Amino acid sequence: MSETARLSLQGKEVDLPLIIGSENEVGIDISSLRSETGAVTVDVGYKNTGSTTSSITYLDGEAGILRHRGYSIEDLAENATFMEVAYLLINGELPTQQEYEDWDYQIRHHTLVNEDMENIFKAWPTGSHPMGQLTAMISSLSSFYPESLNPNPNEEDQHRTIRRLIAKMPTIVAMLHKKNLGHPIIYPKNKLDYVSNFLNMTFKNVTEDYEIDPIFVEAMNKLLILHADHEQNCSASTVRIVGSAHSNLYACIAAGIAALWGPLHGGANQKVIEMLEAIREDGGDARKFIAKAKDKNDPFRLMGFGHRVYKNYDPRALIIKKSCDDILNKLGVKDPVLDIAKQLEETALADDYFVERKLFPNVDFYSGIIYRAMGFPVEMFTVLFALGRLPGWIAQWKEMRDQNQPIGRPRQIYTGHVKRDWTARALR
Ligand code: SDX
């Protein structure tokens, strides 16, 4: 295969080098384009533009493949713990037994947050969305750990901040849940593993004992793994570009949380449940909502459907869908919206509009049904997505910093007024 792509532009020809990935993906390196031709490329939404090379996650949207550091999402969801996947994403390899014990010990012993963090809650009105609260709480960590403001942290400083984020985010998420219920917060217990500790802080109440259900642990562990990373999605790209300015890691993660909040991104899992409830309250006829989703004059979209990369079934959605029946049966929960979701999927996947556009259920379509069965309020669903995505964001940030990438600053094509003279207000 030729190692270059030839571009013919306004009578000039330039050869642009190719970047061939380990899965034979082909990228055209245009880093010399402007200096050689004066031209830039334009690709609104970056649908055809790679921002980086990366060795963290591989997606094949046509084949519905997702791998982290070479391991399939199916293998990881079936066999790994979320802490193992977090270690894999951040360090590049699955941990040995000793490495895992060290990592697990470090995380278990950094779960407390500064007591003053609870004061931040006094500023919020009742009913504040937990994603806005989480953005602020994670960003505020740089106030409690000012050494994190060093724009060029050494490896140990970097690792300390990474450990603090992984260890403290579950504590903060559980705190949000409790404070928004008006309940006393439950402190972490170092003797509990990551997922059990999170469930205990979230669902135990201060007056009673709480028995950690292994079904909950297994379901939560799997859901966190399925959300752990997804290459250059909107929020990971946000973390990278904020990190490219050498902002501190807490600020970068807060920016990623803000991007994930959007209903076209991670916010979709909350919107899916609200959509399914609306269908149920409207009598349960999915076809009416399918028609709305197809109507160009109607802003309604089938939330949880479609994906920028997957033009086949999102492998994560497949795993979650399979788990839905299993977990709800084990929990003895009968959720009518699960049947509506399945009916909606079946109707949509038989409709040319969705088939022609290759719109399949994505990771957000079924996840909320499990979260709801476990007792999480719908406003917390995207917070749970962020909890799972944290190690992926950290891995993406670390790779960008390790590669000494320059500050991200896209170009543009100006289409406004050409130069014109000032006119006094009286003459306008
Ligand atoms: C996530 O990038 C990632 O990896 C994200 C993520 C991750 O793990 O980080 O996978 C997580 O964000 C999943 C996506 C969650 N969002 C939703 O479920 C919201 C609903 N879906 C869409 O809004 C949409 O599908 C996107 C945002 C996901 C993708 O949008 P694109 O790639 O920009 O595609 P598009 O909007 O250009 O749509 C192409 C066509 C359009 O129709 P035409 O103009 O060609 O006639 O498909 C239509 C769209 O109108 N379309 C939909 C639709 N999604 C796309 N029509 C109805 N319902 C939908 N859900």
Side-chain angles (χ1 to χ4, degrees), residues 47 59 226-227 229-236 260 262-269 272 290 292-294 296 300-311 314 316 353-354 357 359 362-365 385 389:
K47 294 191 175 188
L59 294 186
L226 291 171
H227 288 82
D229 189 58
H230 216 238
E231 55 133 281
Q232 304 312 315
N233 57 83
C234 177
S235 53
L260 187 73
L264 294 187
H265 192 11
N269 61 12
V272 167
I290 296 267
K292 279 171 62 67
K294 292 162 60 178
K296 287 294 163 218
F300 176 80
R301 283 203 156 181
L302 216 49
M303 301 311 280
F305 252 74
H307 199 276
R308 173 61 58 76
V309 174
Y310 290 124
K311 300 310 171 191
D314 182 334
R316 302 165 298 174
Y353 174 93
F354 293 88
R357 292 167 179 79
L359 303 175
N362 58 51
V363 67
D364 292 316
F365 192 63
F385 191 146
R389 184 53 54 88

Side-chain angles (χ1 to χ4, degrees), residues 325-384:
D325 287 317
D326 178 36
I327 290 163
L328 268 60
N329 290 340
K330 284 182 181 174
L331 294 175
V333 170
K334 185 95 184 85
D335 189 343
V337 300
L338 176 56
D339 297 332
I340 293 175
K342 288 179 177 175
Q343 184 211 348
L344 197 60
E345 175 187 345
E346 192 180 323
T347 312
L349 296 189
D351 185 301
D352 288 347
Y353 174 93
F354 293 88
V355 174
E356 284 159 13
R357 292 167 179 79
K358 299 181 180 177
L359 303 175
F360 292 87
N362 58 51
V363 67
D364 292 316
F365 192 63
Y366 286 103
S367 55
I369 292 169
I370 297 179
Y371 290 143
R372 186 156 86 158
M374 293 173 73
F376 289 102
V378 66
E379 296 75 22
M380 286 295 287
F381 289 6
T382 311
V383 172
L384 297 170

Side-chain angles (χ1 to χ4, degrees), residues 135-423:
T135 307
M137 294 292 272
I138 295 299
S139 181
S140 76
L141 285 171
S142 64
S143 304
F144 295 97
Y145 303 106
E147 71 279 9
S148 64
L149 298 179
N150 171 7
N152 298 298
N154 61 35
E155 194 167 338
E156 181 39 40
D157 291 343
Q158 222 186 63
H159 195 69
R160 186 181 306 110
T161 300
I162 289 171
R163 271 198 317 268
R164 281 174 170 155
L165 267 166
I166 298 280
K168 298 177 192 307
M169 187 131 153
T171 305
I172 292 169
V173 168
M175 186 193 273
L176 293 182
H177 174 65
K178 286 296 190 190
K179 296 297 284 184
N180 288 329
L181 289 173
H183 294 178
I185 60 173
I186 300 295
Y187 282 79
K189 286 183 174 178
N190 294 352
K191 67 179 176 31
L192 295 176
D193 66 72
Y194 178 94
V195 172
S196 301
N197 205 3
F198 171 61
L199 293 172
N200 189 63
M201 291 188 284
T202 303
F203 292 119
K204 178 182 182 336
N205 73 49
V206 70
T207 57
E208 290 158 23
D209 289 336
Y210 173 72
E211 191 177 327
I212 295 163
D213 184 336
I215 299 170
F216 273 43
V217 175
E218 183 192 353
M220 198 71 236
N221 186 65
K222 187 173 281 191
L223 284 165
L224 291 170
I225 289 172
L226 291 171
H227 288 82
D229 189 58
H230 216 238
E231 55 133 281
Q232 304 312 315
N233 57 83
C234 177
S235 53
S237 300
T238 302
V239 169
R240 276 180 171 256
I241 203 160
V242 172
S244 72
H246 291 186
S247 298
N248 67 83
L249 181 53
Y250 298 123
C252 297
I253 300 301
I257 294 167
L260 187 73
W261 193 1
L264 294 187
H265 192 11
N269 61 12
Q270 172 177 344
K271 296 297 176 195
V272 167
I273 290 293
E274 291 168 358
M275 172 186 72
L276 295 172
E277 281 292 1
I279 295 172
R280 186 165 71 100
E281 282 156 27
D282 185 72
D285 181 2
R287 285 165 305 184
K288 196 173 170 182
F289 287 78
I290 296 267
K292 279 171 62 67
K294 292 162 60 178
D295 179 355
K296 287 294 163 218
N297 299 316
D298 189 330
F300 176 80
R301 283 203 156 181
L302 216 49
M303 301 311 280
F305 252 74
H307 199 276
R308 173 61 58 76
V309 174
Y310 290 124
K311 300 310 171 191
N312 196 322
Y313 216 103
D314 182 334
R316 302 165 298 174
L318 218 49
I319 296 169
I320 294 174
K321 180 182 178 184
K322 284 177 192 157
S323 302
C324 260
D325 287 317
D326 178 36
I327 290 163
L328 268 60
N329 290 340
K330 284 182 181 174
L331 294 175
V333 170
K334 185 95 184 85
D335 189 343
V337 300
L338 176 56
D339 297 332
I340 293 175
K342 288 179 177 175
Q343 184 211 348
L344 197 60
E345 175 187 345
E346 192 180 323
T347 312
L349 296 189
D351 185 301
D352 288 347
Y353 174 93
F354 293 88
V355 174
E356 284 159 13
R357 292 167 179 79
K358 299 181 180 177
L359 303 175
F360 292 87
N362 58 51
V363 67
D364 292 316
F365 192 63
Y366 286 103
S367 55
I369 292 169
I370 297 179
Y371 290 143
R372 186 156 86 158
M374 293 173 73
F376 289 102
V378 66
E379 296 75 22
M380 286 295 287
F381 289 6
T382 311
V383 172
L384 297 170
F385 191 146
L387 185 61
R389 184 53 54 88
L390 178 63
W393 286 332
I394 291 171
Q396 296 288 346
W397 170 86
K398 189 174 183 303
E399 182 175 73
M400 179 276 304
R401 287 306 308 265
D402 290 349
Q403 288 174 347
N404 283 315
Q405 290 195 3
I407 187 168
R409 200 269 185 227
R411 305 302 296 253
Q412 63 162 29
I413 294 299
Y414 175 72
T415 55
H417 287 286
V418 294
K419 186 173 181 332
R420 49 182 175 164
D421 297 330
W422 168 260
T423 45

